[in-house]
């Protein structure tokens, strides 16, 4: 069984790959493909956030008692990204390449900073705090639909 860090970092990479494909389609001015790729990226990101917010964060908070610490910061950043998701979807629907690529650039910066904090700080903290129940947490993350 992988670590929490490995499992969720792998999902970050999957989402990043979907994002890059969507951005490439927009750069090529292929709006039908962009729409398909944006939809796939947004679904993957929403699923990732749900795994964290519904499974990982509550388990971590229950174990550590930290409810206003790193998980709260991550939830706030998730909300910021959700707003950018909506803006990205709107610019895709409008087939506005300049706006799309501008929203994508902002989102990319925020995702990179967010993923770094999770992969370097929160996930390793979760691996340590949840060591004795890590397999169960990963099982619940895998099963999250």
């Amino acid at each position: 069984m992988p670590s929490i860090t490995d499992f969720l970092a792998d999902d970050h990479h999957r989402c990043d790959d979907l994002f890059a494909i969507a951005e490439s389609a927009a750069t090529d001015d292929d709006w039908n493909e962009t729409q398909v790729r944006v939809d796939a990226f947004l679904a993957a990101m929403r699923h990732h956030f749900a795994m964290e917010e519904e499974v990982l964060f509550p388990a971590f908070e229950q174990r550590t008692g930290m409810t206003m610490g790193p998980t709260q910061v991550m939830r706030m950043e998730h909300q910021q990204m959700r707003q950018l998701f909506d803006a990205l979807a709107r610019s895709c629907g409008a087939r506005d390449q300049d706006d799309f690529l501008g929203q994508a650039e902002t989102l990319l910066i925020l995702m990179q900073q967010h993923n770094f904090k999770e992969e370097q700080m929160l996930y390793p903290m979760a691996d340590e705090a949840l060591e004795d129940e890590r397999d169960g947490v990963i099982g619940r993350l895998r099963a999250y639909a």
Side-chain angles (χ1 to χ4, degrees), residues 85-135:
F85 295 165
D86 293 343
L88 194 70
R90 280 192 302 275
S91 64
C92 181
R95 297 178 176 220
D96 184 335
Q97 188 181 48
D98 289 340
D99 188 53
F100 183 93
L101 295 175
Q103 298 294 342
E105 183 178 351
T106 302
L107 181 57
L108 179 61
I109 292 166
L110 187 55
M111 285 191 310
Q112 288 173 333
Q113 293 170 347
H114 178 83
N115 291 355
F116 180 81
K117 286 185 262 186
E118 286 185 334
E119 292 174 18
Q120 299 302 313
M121 291 181 265
L122 178 60
Y123 296 165
M125 289 171 65
D127 274 317
E128 185 176 328
L130 301 168
E131 183 176 7
D132 62 335
E133 60 180 297
R134 183 172 42 223
D135 290 352

Side-chain angles (χ1 to χ4, degrees), residues 5-138:
T5 299
D6 290 341
F7 179 81
L8 290 171
D10 285 349
D11 200 51
H12 280 167
H13 299 308
R14 182 179 69 86
C15 292
D16 291 345
D17 290 345
L18 292 170
F19 178 78
I21 293 167
E23 190 175 31
S24 177
T27 300
D28 292 342
D29 215 19
D30 183 344
W31 291 102
N32 292 330
E33 184 69 11
T34 301
Q35 186 67 61
V36 168
R37 300 305 183 164
V38 165
D39 290 347
F41 164 70
L42 294 178
M45 288 297 292
R46 289 184 175 115
H47 180 260
H48 182 86
F49 287 175
M51 285 192 302
E52 290 178 340
E53 293 172 357
E54 302 297 324
V55 177
L56 180 65
F57 296 174
F60 178 80
E61 291 166 347
Q62 183 175 5
R63 176 58 62 93
T64 64
M66 288 192 284
T67 58
M68 299 307 287
T71 53
Q72 186 62 25
V73 172
M74 295 303 106
R75 282 186 182 99
M76 290 183 342
E77 291 181 5
H78 286 178
Q79 191 54 38
Q80 290 175 320
M81 283 187 271
R82 284 182 177 107
Q83 292 171 357
L84 287 169
F85 295 165
D86 293 343
L88 194 70
R90 280 192 302 275
S91 64
C92 181
R95 297 178 176 220
D96 184 335
Q97 188 181 48
D98 289 340
D99 188 53
F100 183 93
L101 295 175
Q103 298 294 342
E105 183 178 351
T106 302
L107 181 57
L108 179 61
I109 292 166
L110 187 55
M111 285 191 310
Q112 288 173 333
Q113 293 170 347
H114 178 83
N115 291 355
F116 180 81
K117 286 185 262 186
E118 286 185 334
E119 292 174 18
Q120 299 302 313
M121 291 181 265
L122 178 60
Y123 296 165
M125 289 171 65
D127 274 317
E128 185 176 328
L130 301 168
E131 183 176 7
D132 62 335
E133 60 180 297
R134 183 172 42 223
D135 290 352
V137 170
I138 292 171

